[in-house]
Amino acid sequence: MKKSLIISVVVLLLLGIATTVNAYSTSEFEIDVPDTFKTTATNVFACEDGRNFNITTVRYDEKSGYPYTQATLDKLVNEIYTNLDSQKADIKRQMKITYGTSMSSKAIDEYVNSFKCNSIDVKEITNCTKNNYKCIHILANYAMADTSYYCDQYAIVSGSKIYTLTLSAPEKEDFNSEEMKGILDSFTIKNYKEPQDTMSPILIGAIVGAGVGVVLAIVSVIKKKKENQAQ
């Protein structure tokens, strides 16, 4: 289910008054969306100041083994954030699903081909949200075309799916705002099923949803810049 949210950037926010939040819900998850954000694509939300967030899901084979191991984390970082070429075909496919009606295939190809990771500042296995989900957490700086951005990502395995929440902002300090922390804290997976740590620690494949989330975030910013320039 998709719910349209009307953006409302008010002076009171700058004075420290709490913003109104709207509960966004699908059949799989729910999250609080501050009224300073609006939907720009399915499960993608952006703010006028350049901050945005999105949620992506991909399939996970439970037979692949327990996901939260150091070996899994290292493989994820290497394959998605250091060696993205092998993942770009899947990222382009997801991009066309999300932005196919507003962007040409050529434009999507150009954006994804220019996508790269500049630095990885945090990579860890930790817990997140008010529900204390175990997750893989990565904070990194990325570039696409002429845009550089920070993305704070949380990949959570539940049953046969991987949910990746990607928070994006121009500066790392933006993630410390009460608004961004509130978004992360509110994320709730319906019918959550935690993977069992008794499963064999076989390396899982790359979590493509993480890479898709970063690209969705940066493209949202680029599209906004172009819209502003066209006005």
Side-chain angles (χ1 to χ4, degrees):
M1 179 179 70
K2 182 178 179 181
K3 180 180 179 181
S4 296
L5 302 174
I6 301 175
I7 191 167
S8 177
V9 182
V10 294
V11 176
L12 290 179
L13 175 63
L14 302 177
L15 298 178
I17 304 299
T19 58
T20 301
V21 296
N22 302 273
Y24 175 86
S25 180
T26 73
S27 60
E28 298 182 274
F29 64 84
E30 59 186 25
I31 193 168
D32 288 346
V33 181
D35 62 1
T36 49
F37 288 76
K38 67 177 182 181
T39 54
T40 59
T42 303
N43 298 336
V44 181
F45 306 87
C47 187
E48 290 286 351
D49 64 7
R51 293 174 298 147
N52 59 80
F53 68 95
N54 65 75
I55 303 98
T56 59
T57 61
V58 294
R59 298 291 298 175
Y60 170 68
D61 184 357
E62 294 182 70
K63 296 179 181 178
S64 296
Y66 187 63
Y68 304 120
T69 68
Q70 187 61 46
T72 297
L73 178 61
D74 292 342
K75 183 178 177 68
L76 171 61
V77 169
N78 180 65
E79 292 194 4
I80 291 188
Y81 299 97
T82 306
N83 184 26
L84 282 169
D85 288 344
S86 63
Q87 306 300 326
K88 286 183 177 178
D90 289 315
I91 294 175
K92 288 176 183 179
R93 178 177 56 81
Q94 291 293 330
M95 281 288 297
K96 288 173 183 177
I97 293 173
T98 303
Y99 287 116
T101 59
S102 60
M103 294 179 66
S104 67
S105 293
K106 181 180 179 180
I108 290 174
D109 289 347
E110 289 177 350
Y111 281 139
V112 176
N113 288 337
S114 69
F115 178 48
K116 65 179 181 179
C117 177
N118 291 327
S119 66
I120 297 174
D121 298 350
V122 176
K123 55 177 183 177
E124 62 180 353
I125 297 170
T126 185
N127 295 80
C128 67
T129 86
K130 65 185 179 185
N131 302 295
N132 202 37
Y133 297 135
K134 197 154 191 176
C135 69
I136 289 177
H137 173 218
I138 295 177
L139 171 62
N141 178 259
Y142 302 88
M144 177 185 287
D146 60 349
T147 300
S148 174
Y149 235 61
Y150 285 94
C151 289
D152 195 28
Q153 295 188 285
Y154 300 83
I156 305 164
V157 175
S158 174
S160 61
K161 290 191 177 180
I162 302 168
Y163 297 82
T164 303
L165 171 61
T166 302
L167 305 169
S168 303
E171 305 294 338
K172 284 191 293 185
E173 291 73 20
D174 292 329
F175 301 122
N176 295 324
S177 71
E178 291 303 316
E179 194 170 57
M180 295 293 265
K181 288 192 292 186
I183 292 169
L184 169 62
D185 192 51
S186 70
F187 183 58
T188 299
I189 298 170
K190 298 179 179 178
N191 301 315
Y192 173 71
K193 179 183 177 183
E194 182 176 1
Q196 299 300 306
D197 60 9
T198 55
M199 298 167 65
S200 300
I202 303 172
L203 289 178
I204 65 170
I207 301 179
V208 177
V212 173
V214 174
V215 174
L216 291 177
I218 299 178
V219 169
S220 176
V221 175
I222 292 174
K223 284 171 62 67
K224 184 62 179 179
K225 286 182 179 178
K226 290 188 174 182
E227 290 172 1
N228 291 337
Q229 291 172 355
Q231 292 177 354

